[in-house]
Amino acid sequence: MVNAIYPGSFDPVTYGHLDIIRRAAGVVDKLVIGVLNNSSKNPLFSVEERIELLEKVTADIPNASVQYFEGLTVDFARECDAKVMIRGLRAVTDFESEMQIAQTNHSIAPDIETLFFATSLPYSFLSSTIAKEIAFYGSDLSGLVPPEVEEAFQEKFKKSSGE
Ligand code: ADP
């Protein structure tokens, strides 16, 4: 049995994340998507909203589940009985910070491996930040985020503009 976690902020989930989730779920037995409440980031969606969106868009992936976590990612991996942590790599710009995280994790938990997935070409420029910016200005999000996330953006920006 290979259990893996896929940790991140997912604020909100994009097709880039979903691509990694599907590909990872295809090669491991069980995948737990870990939603982190990153105190250094100021999220648009609450943890509950991010989890709900992830659950909706991964409902057809039987071996994937979604869980909240806080604290060290390696501790969360242990809680999930996972020896593998999945991360996605977009461009060279991701490489430096991802390398740093992976090496730090390896030094504190040598029994847990980080497995990188190279982004699929159409999503190589896509981040939650870019999706938020496009949504904020009301531009077309199709091809970037699932319809459930598009709707959540509409709700969010309707509320914040006081309509
Ligand atoms: P974090 O705040 O931990 O970076 P994110 O939600 O931004 O969380 O990303 C979680 C993981 O998904 C990271 O490994 C990130 O590199 C990866 N990722 C994000 N967007 C994409 C994408 N478009 N293609 C491939 N991987 C991605």
Side-chain angles (χ1 to χ4, degrees), residues 6 20 23 87-99 115-120 123-124:
Y6 177 35
I20 303 289
R23 288 162 60 200
R87 296 291 284 176
L89 280 181
R90 278 159 293 191
V92 198
T93 41
D94 275 345
F95 189 79
E96 204 175 330
S97 58
E98 289 294 338
M99 194 69 172
L115 193 61
F116 290 108
F117 280 74
T119 184
S120 296
Y123 311 124
S124 55

Side-chain angles (χ1 to χ4, degrees), residues 48-86:
E48 292 74 21
E49 290 170 326
R50 285 181 266 154
I51 290 177
E52 198 184 323
L53 287 171
L54 272 162
E55 281 174 344
K56 277 186 192 161
V57 303
T58 59
D60 64 329
I61 310 172
N63 59 338
S65 60
V66 188
Q67 262 187 50
Y68 166 77
F69 81 100
E70 52 190 351
L72 288 178
T73 311
V74 292
D75 290 338
F76 176 61
R78 290 214 172 93
E79 266 170 48
C80 297
D81 204 16
K83 288 256 179 286
V84 175
M85 300 190 292
I86 307 286

Side-chain angles (χ1 to χ4, degrees), residues 13-149:
V13 57
T14 67
Y15 276 135
H17 295 127
L18 201 51
D19 172 58
I20 303 289
I21 292 169
R22 285 192 193 287
R23 288 162 60 200
V27 295
V28 302
D29 294 292
K30 210 177 109 190
L31 180 71
V32 182
I33 303 154
V35 181
L36 174 70
N37 198 14
N38 195 336
S39 51
S40 63
K41 291 188 179 177
N42 189 13
L44 176 66
F45 292 95
S46 69
V47 169
E48 292 74 21
E49 290 170 326
R50 285 181 266 154
I51 290 177
E52 198 184 323
L53 287 171
L54 272 162
E55 281 174 344
K56 277 186 192 161
V57 303
T58 59
D60 64 329
I61 310 172
N63 59 338
S65 60
V66 188
Q67 262 187 50
Y68 166 77
F69 81 100
E70 52 190 351
L72 288 178
T73 311
V74 292
D75 290 338
F76 176 61
R78 290 214 172 93
E79 266 170 48
C80 297
D81 204 16
K83 288 256 179 286
V84 175
M85 300 190 292
I86 307 286
R87 296 291 284 176
L89 280 181
R90 278 159 293 191
V92 198
T93 41
D94 275 345
F95 189 79
E96 204 175 330
S97 58
E98 289 294 338
M99 194 69 172
Q100 206 172 28
I101 298 171
Q103 283 169 339
T104 307
N105 284 334
H106 186 69
S107 69
I108 56 177
D111 54 319
I112 299 173
E113 292 294 347
T114 301
L115 193 61
F116 290 108
F117 280 74
T119 184
S120 296
L121 214 48
Y123 311 124
S124 55
F125 65 94
L126 178 57
S127 65
S128 297
T129 307
I130 283 178
K132 281 184 272 197
E133 214 156 296
I134 293 173
F136 182 76
Y137 291 108
S139 286
D140 184 21
L141 281 164
S142 53
L144 305 184
V145 299
E148 294 86 346
V149 178

